[in-house]
Amino acid sequence: MKITDDSPPIVSALDRPNSYIGRSVPRPNLARLTRGRAQFVSDLTLPRMAHVAFVRSPHAHARIIAIATAAAAKAPGVVAVVTGAELAKVITPWIGVLTHLKGIKSAPQHAMAIERACWQGEAVCAVVARSRAEAEDACELVEVSYEELPAVTDPETALEPGIPVIHPELGDNLTFERVHVGGDPDKGFRDADAVIETTFHFGRHTGVTNEPRATLADWNEGDGRLTVYQGTQAPHMMQNLFAKHLGLEEHQVRVVTKDVGGSFGIKVHTYADEMATVALSKLLKRPIKFVADRIESFVTDIHARDHRVKAKIGVKNDGTITAWEIDDLTGIGPYSVYPRTSGIEANQIVNLTGGPYTCPNYRARARVVFQNKNVMCQYRAVGHPIATAVTEGLVELAAAKIGMDPLEIRRRNLIPDDAHPSSGPSGIKFEALSHHESLAHLDAMMNYAGLRAEQKRLRAEGTYRGIGFASFIEVTNPSAAFYGIGGAKISAQDGVTMRLDAQGALICHTGVTEQGQGAEAVIAQVAASSFGVPIERVRVITGDTDNTPYGGGTWASRAAGIGGEAAWQAGKALRANVLACAASILQAKPEHLDIRNGAVVDRDSGNERLALHELARIAYFRPDTLPPGFQAELVATRHYVPRAWPFAFTNGVQASYVEVDTDSGFVRLLKHWCVEDCGTVINPQLVDEQIRGGVVQGIGAALFEHCIYDARGQLLNGNMADYLVPMAAEMPDIEVGHVVTPTADSELGAKGAGEAGTAGAPGAVMNAINDALRPLGAKPLTGMPFTPGRILQALGRISESTPA
Amino acid sequence: MKPPPFAYAKARSVAHAIELLAADDARLLAGGQSLIATLNMRLSQPALLVDINGVGGLDHITLRNAHIEIGALVRYAQAERSAEIAQAAPLVALALPHIGHPAIRNRGTVGGSLAFADPAAELPACMVALGAEIEIVGPQGQRAVKADDFFKGLFETALAGRDVLTGIRIPVASGATRVGFAEFARRHGDYAMVGLAACAQADGKRLNDVRLAYFGVGATPVRARKAEPALADGDVEAAVSALVEDLEPPDDVQTSGAVKAHLAGVLLRRVARQLGRAAS
Amino acid sequence: MSQRFHEIAITVNGEEVRERVDARKTLVDFLREDLALTGSHVGCEHGVCGACSVRVNGAVVRGCLMLAVQCDGARVDTIEGVADTDEIADLQQAFVARNALQCGYCTPGMLLTAQELLGRSGVPSREQIRAHLSGNYCRCTGYQAIVDAVEAVAKTRAEANR
C-alpha cells in the first residue's frame, strides 16, 4: 500500500486501538538528558578504579626495539606499566577476516603492538595510574626505542613492486579484491551515443562522536566475572569477543551499555586499546577505565571513505543509460578491523553502484589495500555515500552531455515502481521500491520548476546557484547474509522479552540498543500498541547482556525493523497470555476480550472488564483464586529475523540547492530536501531527525571533513580546529517527505532509516555545485571535500598545479 | 589530554605579576582561551602560571586625549557591548563578532589576543590597521610600542619574559575615518583562512593614510604597503595587482598559499567598497 | 603562594564547596570528578566543541579552558543546578517536544548557550540562533531541530513579556 502524503499511514494489519504506530511521540528518556542526568561511560566510577593512558607510536611504521618502563613505574600515582608482550599473556590476538568475502586476508592484531607499530597512534605501552593526568605524566617517562621502517601511504602504489609489503607473510598489500560483471557492459558501451569517464575521490574521514570512545572494565577475581561498561552498539557481540580472547565463557562476561554519546558505527568495532583495557583489568584485578581523548580519537577511531573510483557511464541520446563501470581503490589501515572486516565498504560499493536504475550492464572491480595509516571500517551508511555519489554523479554528467534535464534522465532510467520484485545490476534483490513516486514527491515539495526559474534569473545577474539530485537505495534490516554467513558471531536476529509487572505496567527487555536515534522509543511505541497500554506505562531496558534477550544491537538501520518486529510479536504473545489469564478470572472466552489502554476490555463493545493492575495483583498475589490447573504466564519472549530478503532495501531521493561564490569558491547551502521510503513509519519525527542528522554528516563529507595525511603517514589535522565538522551556522534547513512501501517480511512492515541521509547528501551537494558552475565552463568537481580551493581551481581562478 | 603539573599564583597587581614572572618558565594567564588549550595538549609546559585576572584597573574602556584606551583585561564580550568602542573604534567592533564563539568571547581578552599573536587572529591586524599603541609595563617601567613594531614573528611580540601588556591606545575615529573588515573562514568563528582589517581617512574622493593589515598570510599581520597607495589613488585593481608583491602567504594544512593570495585580492575589493562608505 | 595545590572555595549550584585542587585541574574535570557533577561533558579539551559549557559568574564559558583554581570565590552553575531551578524548563520542554537532542551529549552545553542568547532582548532570527550556537558541536541532530526549539521558545517568551 502506498501513500504519498505525510500523515501517519494506516496499515490494516496493524490496526490497533490507541496505536502509537505512525505517531511522533516524544521519547521517554529525554527529560533526563536535558537535566544532566545521563550516564555515559565517561561518567561512571567504580571502587579502586584506575585509569589507563597509552604511549602511542609517533611513527607510521616502526620496529619496537625496546621499551624502558622503570622510570614511569615509579612516577606518582602509577599502578602498573604494561607492554604488549606482557598483555599478550592475558589476551589473544585476532584477525579481521570473514569467509564470505572471498580471498580477504589480514594479519593478526594484538591488543597492544608487540614487535612493530604499524600506524601513527597505535598503542605500544599502557600506563595505569590513579588518575588520567598521572597516567599521562608517566607516559612521558616511558622510553620507546624505535627503528623507523618505510611506510606505505599511497594506495595507488601499494601493490607495485618495490613498495614494502606491510605483512610479508601475506605476500602483498592486497586485503581484498572483488570483481563483478553483470549483463554485457562491453556491448552497452558500444551501444552508447556518449561515454563519460571520470575519476571520483573521496576524502578519508572519521566519525567524531561527541562522546569519545570509553570503556570501563571490571574483572572481579572473586566472582570470576568480567563486567564491561562500554558505549558499544553491539553488547552481545562484544560479550562474545571479550570471552573468546580472554579465555572466558560468555556467561562470565557482562557488557553494559547505558547512554552513548553518539556512535554512527564508530563504536561497533573492536578496538585494540579497548581490548587492552579489558585485559588490563583481568591482569590487575581491578576496574580500569579508558576514555579516549580527542587527539587520540582522531588517530584511533576508525576512519572511513578513503576511496578513488574511476567510473564510466554509457548513455544514448534519448537518455537511456547503457552501461556502468567502476574501478574502486581504497586504502585502509594495516589491519582489517575485527570482526566485521574492512572489506565491507568496498564490497558495498560494488553491490550498490547503479542500484536504482534499470541498466543491467555493469562491470566493477574493487581493491582494498593495506596502508600504514589508522584503521578503516564501517561508518554510517557504509559504502552508500560513495556508490551513490558515483552513480548520481555519472547520471548528471550524462544528462549534461546529452542536454537532458537531470530529473528527466532519472525518470527514463529508474526502476519502475511496478517492476518489483527486481534486482540491481550487481544482483542485489529488491522487494519493492518507489523511486518514481519519491521523485514526483520531491519535484513537488521543492517546487523544482520554480527553483530552475530562480536559478536562471539570478544567473543573468551573475549569481550562481545550483540544483543537484541523488537517488539512492539503502541497505537496512540485514539478515544473516551480511555477517553471519561469513562466520562472524554477529547476530542477525533480535528478541524482546515483555512482562507485566505487579502494577500492570509493561517492562520490555530488548537486544537492540540506543545511541540517540530513538531505538528505545520505537520499541516502546510498538510494545504499547501491540500489547495495549498507554505509552507512559512502558519501560524499555536495553544494553545489558545479563538482562536482555540475545541480539545483534543497533547497526545497519536494524533497530526499528528487526527490534520493532520482535516487540510487535512479543506484544501479541503477551496479550494472548494475559487474555488467557483474564478469561480464567472473568469466566469468559479469550477471543471475546482485548487489551486496550491498560485494561482488559470486551472486544466488541470496548467496555472495561478488568484493569491490568488488578489482573496482575491476582496473578502474582492471589493465585489461590485462579481456577485449578491454570498457571498465569505474564511474560513472553519473541525473536525475529528477516528471512525472505537478505536486506530490506529502502529508497529515497535528495536534492541540494546551493549558491557558489565564484570569487571565493565558498559554497552556501541554501536548502536541502529528502524524500524517504522506509516502509511503515513508527515515529515520523524520529525518522525525519535521523534523516536530518544523516544529511548533515553527508554534507560534512562533501564540503568539510578530511583526515589529511602526509607522505610519511602522519595525520596533519587530528584536532577539532583543523578537522572541520559541520557546525550550525553553515547548515541548511532540511525538508523531509515520505512515501510508504512496507516490507511484507514482517507484520510491522518497517524498514530502516538511520543512514539514508548520509547516503544521498554528498552526491546531491556535488551535483548541485557542478550544476551551478556548468555555465562557466568549469571542470566538473569530483573530489571531496569540495573546498574553496578546489572550486577555485575548477573555475580556473588559480592554477591547477598548486595544491588547493 | 590533561595538562602537565605546574604551580599557580594569583597576581595582586601589575608590579606583583612582574615579580612573579621572575621565576623560571613562568607564563601569564589572562583569558586562557589559547593558553589552556595548549596546556591541555601539552604543547607548552610552564613551571608557573601567573594569573592576572584579579588585577584591578585593567578592564577599563576610556576616552582620553582623542584616543580610546582599552585595558588589556577587557573581555571580547565586554568590548562587544561597549558603546564607546562602537563609536570610537568601529573597526574593532566589526572584528569582534568574528572572534571564536560566545563562550570564548566571555573569557578571552583583548590584551591576550595581542600578546598571544596568533597569525590568523583578528585583533592584531586591527591594531596594525589602526596605528594603535600597545602599552607595556615591565621590570624597567612603562613603555608604548606601535602596533607596526609590536608583532615580530610567529607567536613572537615585543613583550619580553617579564613584561605585562596593560592596554592599547587607539586614535578615536573621526567623521573622516573609514574602516573596512572582512575575512574568509571555513566556518563561522574559525580562525581566518585570510582576513583584512583596513583603516583610512577620507579626503573628498581620495583616501589618505590607508592602512591595509592582512592576517592569516604570514607569521604576523602584514601591511600591504604597495597596495595602500594604489587604493589611496582610488585604483582598486592596481591595488589588487600590487598584492602579489606585498603578500607571499605560506601553505597551511587547510589552505594553500595560492588560494590565500587569491582570496586576499577578493577581500581587498570587498573592503575597498566598505572604505568608500561613510562610517556610521 | 606559588604552589601546585590550592584550597579553593566555590559556590556551585548555590552550594559553597571547599576543596583542595591541583592547579592543573580544569574546571570541568573538577566539577565532574571532585563534585560528581557529570552533567557537563568533555568532548575535545581544546575549546572547540562546547560540550563542557558551564556558567561562571553568570557567563557561559568553556569548562575545559578554565582552571578550577581560577574559580576560587566564583559562582559556578552547571546544568544540574540550572535544571533544578526551573530557569530553563520551557527550553528543556521545547527540546524534548522537538527532539532537539538525540544522544544528549551536547545538550547541557546547548541549553546553557541558548539560554544566554534568549537572555538578550528581542527575538533572534534563525540565522542569529545558528550563529550564536556555532560554537556548540552536535553530531546527531544536524542542528535544525535545535534551532526550531530555540526559536519557538524565543517567540513564546517574547509573547509572555508583551
Side-chain angles (χ1 to χ4, degrees):
Chain A
M1 183 174 171
K2 292 174 194 236
I3 299 170
T4 52
D5 68 15
D6 292 301
S7 54
I10 307 147
V11 185
S12 56
L14 301 177
D15 215 351
R16 290 280 299 142
N18 304 322
S19 170
Y20 293 93
I21 309 294
R23 287 174 51 185
S24 293
V25 180
R27 289 160 54 203
N29 57 356
L30 288 193
R32 179 172 65 86
L33 300 178
T34 67
R35 302 183 71 96
R37 295 302 306 271
Q39 288 186 289
F40 297 101
V41 176
S42 34
D43 299 335
L44 304 176
T45 57
L46 289 175
R48 289 191 75 214
M49 185 177 83
H51 298 259
V52 60
F54 292 97
V55 178
R56 295 186 178 279
S57 169
H59 306 295
H61 198 195
R63 193 159 289 127
I64 299 167
I65 307 297
I67 305 180
T69 61
K74 291 202 290 278
V78 171
V79 168
V81 182
V82 182
T83 64
E86 288 162 344
L87 210 56
K89 297 176 191 150
V90 175
I91 184 165
T92 57
W94 54 85
I95 307 182
V97 295
L98 290 173
T99 57
H100 66 318
L101 295 177
K102 300 263 172 291
I104 190 171
K105 59 188 198 277
S106 187
Q109 184 180 8
H110 292 270
M112 253 187 334
I114 299 178
E115 282 161 10
R116 218 177 21 138
C118 291
W119 83 87
Q120 178 222 2
E122 186 177 8
V124 304
C125 186
V127 175
V128 179
R130 277 192 289 278
S131 68
R132 171 78 189 209
E134 287 167 313
E136 289 187 20
D137 293 342
C139 281
E140 292 186 340
L141 300 173
V142 174
E143 276 169 40
V144 186
S145 23
Y146 295 100
E147 179 200 329
E148 257 190 276
L149 299 168
V152 178
T153 60
D154 183 2
E156 301 284 352
T157 57
L159 299 176
E160 284 176 13
I163 299 296
V165 174
I166 297 176
H167 306 291
E169 70 274 19
L170 297 181
D172 57 27
N173 289 321
L174 183 70
T175 318
F176 173 62
E177 179 167 359
R178 180 172 164 205
V179 168
H180 176 86
V181 180
D184 189 344
D186 291 324
K187 178 171 190 303
F189 285 116
R190 280 196 307 270
D191 288 349
D193 291 319
V195 174
I196 297 103
E197 251 186 277
T198 187
T199 303
F200 296 90
H201 284 94
F202 299 89
R204 180 182 261 249
H205 55 272
T206 185
V208 199
T209 57
N210 218 329
E211 181 205 16
R213 292 181 300 110
T215 299
L216 171 53
D218 181 14
W219 168 252
N220 185 324
E221 182 85 351
D223 270 348
R225 282 206 101 211
L226 172 71
T227 304
V228 184
Y229 299 88
Q230 190 180 36
T232 177
Q233 292 174 222
H236 285 100
M237 182 190 86
M238 294 315 299
Q239 177 190 46
N240 164 262
L241 295 175
F242 293 141
K244 178 172 169 185
H245 292 283
L246 290 168
L248 300 170
E249 301 277 313
E250 285 184 31
H251 64 81
Q252 289 179 277
V253 180
R254 179 183 182 196
V255 178
V256 178
T257 304
K258 294 176 186 265
D259 293 307
V260 181
S263 185
F264 320 107
I266 300 300
K267 297 170 184 170
V268 81
H269 302 292
T270 302
Y271 288 90
D273 50 23
E274 292 178 13
M275 295 296 267
T277 301
V278 177
L280 285 166
S281 180
K282 185 133 193 301
L283 188 69
L284 301 172
K285 304 188 183 54
R286 65 196 283 180
I288 305 292
K289 184 173 186 180
F290 170 60
V291 180
D293 67 36
R294 185 56 61 190
I295 304 297
E296 68 189 322
S297 291
F298 273 109
V299 290
T300 55
D301 286 0
I302 55 108
H303 290 177
R305 316 258 210 268
D306 192 351
H307 287 254
R308 177 276 282 147
V309 184
K310 293 186 183 153
K312 217 161 85 164
I313 185 172
V315 67
K316 290 197 160 116
N317 288 329
D318 69 0
T320 310
I321 295 167
T322 60
W324 314 92
E325 182 171 319
I326 61 162
D327 185 333
D328 174 33
L329 177 67
T330 176
I332 57 167
Y335 300 103
S336 170
V337 176
Y338 182 67
R340 292 171 194 253
T341 87
S342 303
I344 295 284
E345 190 175 65
N347 202 48
Q348 289 287 66
I349 290 165
V350 173
N351 281 341
L352 301 168
T353 300
Y357 299 98
T358 51
C359 170
N361 304 319
Y362 175 49
R363 176 179 291 118
R365 175 173 82 151
R367 285 173 303 160
V368 181
V369 298
F370 294 114
Q371 294 185 97
N372 293 111
K373 295 179 185 168
N374 185 22
V375 295
M376 250 174 54
C377 213
Q378 279 76 301
Y379 166 52
R380 195 176 197 172
V382 189
H384 295 64
I386 292 164
T388 304
V390 167
T391 302
E392 298 301 292
L394 288 174
V395 166
E396 293 210 1
L397 287 173
K401 183 83 188 201
I402 61 173
M404 182 171 286
D405 175 87
L407 283 193
E408 183 57 30
I409 195 173
R410 285 178 172 89
R411 281 186 208 108
R412 295 187 187 198
N413 288 280
L414 287 168
I415 302 172
D417 292 353
D418 60 3
H420 299 292
S422 65
S423 309
S426 65
I428 48 179
K429 304 255 171 284
F430 305 128
E431 177 189 359
L433 302 175
S434 62
H435 288 296
H436 290 265
E437 198 165 325
S438 301
L439 197 65
H441 192 23
L442 178 75
D443 189 341
M445 235 169 84
M446 65 190 286
N447 184 13
Y448 179 53
L451 287 179
R452 280 292 181 207
E454 182 174 74
Q455 177 189 40
K456 189 168 171 197
R457 180 175 54 79
L458 288 169
R459 210 175 263 168
E461 296 167 17
T463 297
Y464 293 90
R465 291 193 175 177
I467 304 166
F469 298 96
S471 291
F472 60 91
I473 50 175
E474 188 198 339
V475 165
T476 78
N477 296 1
S479 67
F482 209 171
Y483 291 112
I485 60 171
K489 297 273 201 300
I490 293 168
S491 186
Q493 59 83 55
D494 229 288
V496 171
T497 298
M498 228 182 251
R499 66 180 166 85
L500 200 67
D501 84 355
Q503 289 181 324
L506 194 63
I507 317 296
C508 303
H509 306 246
T510 174
V512 300
T513 53
E514 172 76 60
Q515 296 86 42
Q517 67 279 84
E520 284 178 24
V522 164
I523 298 294
Q525 285 178 247
V526 172
S529 308
S530 175
F531 180 71
V533 290
I535 197 162
E536 299 75 41
R537 301 285 288 163
V538 179
R539 180 151 172 258
V540 177
I541 294 169
T542 68
D544 186 342
T545 56
D546 264 9
N547 282 309
T548 60
Y550 199 90
T554 295
W555 43 274
S557 305
R558 72 190 291 276
I562 297 179
E565 182 67 11
W568 182 256
Q569 298 300 333
K572 287 200 302 178
L574 184 62
R575 181 156 34 97
N577 286 5
V578 168
L579 291 181
C581 183
S584 79
I585 294 169
L586 299 169
Q587 297 294 298
K589 291 200 161 80
E591 56 266 29
H592 293 162
L593 302 171
D594 194 6
I595 302 175
R596 293 175 199 169
N597 223 25
V600 176
V601 306
D602 189 79
R603 162 154 275 155
D604 291 331
S605 68
N607 292 335
E608 181 167 322
R609 299 291 306 274
L610 183 65
L612 281 179
H613 64 77
E614 181 61 11
L615 182 147
R617 184 190 69 79
I618 295 167
Y620 286 125
F621 304 117
R622 297 305 312 271
D624 56 300
T625 64
L626 293 172
F630 181 82
Q631 172 60 55
E633 287 292 352
L634 303 187
V635 63
T637 298
R638 286 295 180 272
H639 292 80
Y640 169 73
V641 65
R643 293 302 302 272
W645 299 91
F647 308 100
F649 274 97
T650 64
N651 67 271
V653 60
Q654 296 188 27
S656 166
Y657 189 37
V658 307
E659 186 172 299
V660 183
D661 178 343
T662 52
D663 284 334
S664 67
F666 274 73
V667 176
R668 196 154 67 99
L669 300 164
L670 301 171
K671 190 86 185 277
H672 201 98
W673 298 261
C674 178
V675 173
E676 166 72 1
D677 183 349
C678 57
T680 303
V681 175
I682 297 163
N683 185 321
Q685 181 175 77
L686 294 185
V687 170
D688 287 1
E689 291 308 307
Q690 280 299 287
I691 305 272
R692 291 192 171 102
V695 163
V696 168
Q697 270 185 310
I699 289 171
L703 296 181
F704 293 107
E705 299 187 47
H706 191 186
C707 295
I708 302 173
Y709 272 93
D710 70 10
R712 290 167 49 235
Q714 300 285 312
L715 181 63
L716 300 178
N717 64 333
N719 64 73
M720 295 209 51
D722 295 325
Y723 181 93
L724 307 176
V725 292
M727 302 297 275
E730 288 72 36
M731 291 304 110
D733 281 346
I734 298 155
E735 213 176 304
V736 186
H738 293 278
V739 172
V740 178
T741 309
T743 171
D745 207 356
S746 70
E747 276 184 45
L748 261 184
K751 305 175 192 173
E755 299 167 272
T758 307
V765 172
M766 174 179 70
N767 284 339
I769 292 170
N770 287 327
D771 183 63
L773 301 182
R774 195 161 287 123
L776 294 167
K779 191 159 175 271
L781 285 134
T782 53
M784 299 189 192
F786 303 116
T787 60
R790 285 179 173 169
I791 289 174
L792 289 171
Q793 263 180 355
L795 287 167
R797 305 299 290 269
I798 55 171
S799 106
E800 283 214 28
S801 59
T802 54
Chain B
M1 288 151 61
K2 307 302 174 191
F6 50 80
Y8 167 92
K10 226 172 134 98
R12 292 185 298 272
S13 64
V14 173
H16 187 211
I18 292 168
E19 204 183 295
L20 289 167
L21 286 169
D24 280 335
D25 262 325
R27 288 199 61 170
L28 279 178
L29 171 64
Q33 303 303 281
S34 297
L35 177 62
I36 299 183
T38 64
L39 293 177
N40 288 346
M41 294 196 271
R42 299 199 175 212
L43 293 175
S44 76
Q45 314 230 1
L48 170 67
L49 282 198
V50 177
D51 182 355
I52 55 165
N53 284 285
V55 173
L58 292 181
D59 61 352
H60 58 275
I61 300 170
T62 320
L63 292 163
R64 194 196 342 245
N65 294 336
H67 282 77
I68 179 168
E69 296 174 0
I70 305 175
L73 284 182
V74 168
R75 313 270 172 199
Y76 301 129
Q78 182 193 350
E80 267 183 294
R81 291 189 295 266
S82 161
E84 288 89 346
I85 288 179
Q87 175 74 10
L91 180 57
V92 173
L94 283 177
L96 287 166
H98 292 272
I99 302 176
H101 302 287
I104 303 287
R105 295 200 290 275
N106 280 337
R107 287 297 303 170
T109 63
V110 168
S113 171
L114 304 182
F116 190 65
D118 190 299
E122 290 82 359
L123 287 191
C126 288
M127 297 308 138
V128 171
L130 290 169
E133 269 187 357
I134 293 158
E135 289 169 346
I136 303 169
V137 178
Q140 261 68 64
Q142 255 180 300
R143 68 191 194 281
V145 176
K146 288 195 173 315
D148 273 328
D149 303 323
F150 182 78
F151 302 99
K152 296 205 169 300
L154 188 62
F155 299 111
E156 199 196 317
T157 68
L159 294 167
R162 294 180 65 196
D163 283 336
V164 177
L165 193 164
T166 54
I168 50 180
R169 280 178 84 234
I170 299 167
V172 164
S174 73
T177 305
R178 302 286 178 266
V179 295
F181 183 90
E183 71 172 53
F184 284 116
R186 295 292 299 280
R187 303 169 304 179
H188 185 82
D190 282 351
Y191 276 115
M193 293 158 79
V194 58
L196 173 58
C199 187
Q201 305 299 320
D203 179 10
K205 290 251 190 291
R206 260 190 70 81
L207 291 171
N208 287 333
D209 196 17
V210 176
R211 299 170 67 88
L212 301 173
Y214 277 95
F215 52 101
V217 295
T220 65
V222 176
R223 289 271 303 273
R225 291 188 189 268
K226 293 209 162 67
E228 286 169 357
L231 201 62
D233 288 337
D235 191 343
V236 177
E237 286 316 306
V240 171
S241 304
L243 285 178
V244 167
E245 295 169 72
D246 284 331
L247 304 178
E248 236 187 282
D251 295 340
D252 67 30
V253 157
Q254 285 297 340
T255 315
S256 72
V259 171
K260 286 179 189 255
H262 170 86
L263 293 176
V266 178
L267 285 174
L268 186 51
R269 291 190 187 92
R270 293 185 186 184
V271 167
R273 279 197 293 276
Q274 291 174 37
L275 293 175
R277 291 195 286 273
S280 53
Chain C
M1 163 99 254
S2 299
Q3 60 215 31
R4 216 180 119 185
F5 293 90
H6 291 257
E7 301 281 336
I8 58 171
I10 307 187
T11 305
V12 181
N13 296 330
E15 292 171 24
E16 184 166 299
V17 161
R18 288 175 180 279
E19 292 284 337
R20 184 168 176 271
V21 293
D22 189 351
R24 61 164 158 178
K25 190 158 236 194
T26 61
L27 175 60
V28 69
D29 280 350
F30 170 74
L31 294 167
R32 288 176 52 79
E33 292 167 18
D34 295 42
L35 302 183
L37 288 166
T38 55
S40 311
H41 301 135
V42 173
C44 76
E45 296 181 295
H46 44 290
V48 180
C49 75
C52 65
S53 302
V54 292
R55 269 191 210 153
V56 175
N57 294 334
V60 174
V61 302
R62 304 289 207 221
C64 72
L65 295 185
M66 276 193 86
L67 303 173
V69 76
Q70 285 184 276
C71 296
D72 184 30
R75 199 180 79 244
V76 176
D77 299 300
T78 71
I79 184 64
E80 291 95 331
V82 174
D84 282 349
T85 65
D86 281 341
E87 179 195 329
I88 52 170
D90 56 349
L91 197 51
Q92 288 163 317
Q93 276 157 32
F95 267 53
V96 169
R98 186 60 194 81
N99 207 59
L101 63 149
Q102 292 185 22
C103 80
Y105 204 76
C106 74
T107 306
M110 279 291 178
L111 288 169
L112 294 180
T113 303
Q115 176 67 352
E116 192 170 73
L117 175 67
L118 293 171
R120 303 184 189 166
S121 63
V123 177
S125 67
R126 288 179 75 83
E127 239 174 54
Q128 285 170 321
I129 294 170
R130 283 182 181 275
H132 191 85
L133 296 178
S134 62
N136 289 73
Y137 176 49
C138 175
R139 193 48 142 175
C140 297
T141 66
Y143 304 104
Q144 184 173 344
I146 297 172
V147 177
D148 288 350
V150 174
E151 186 185 37
V153 171
K155 288 181 174 158
T156 314
R157 287 190 190 179
E159 279 291 311
N161 288 337
R162 271 193 318 142

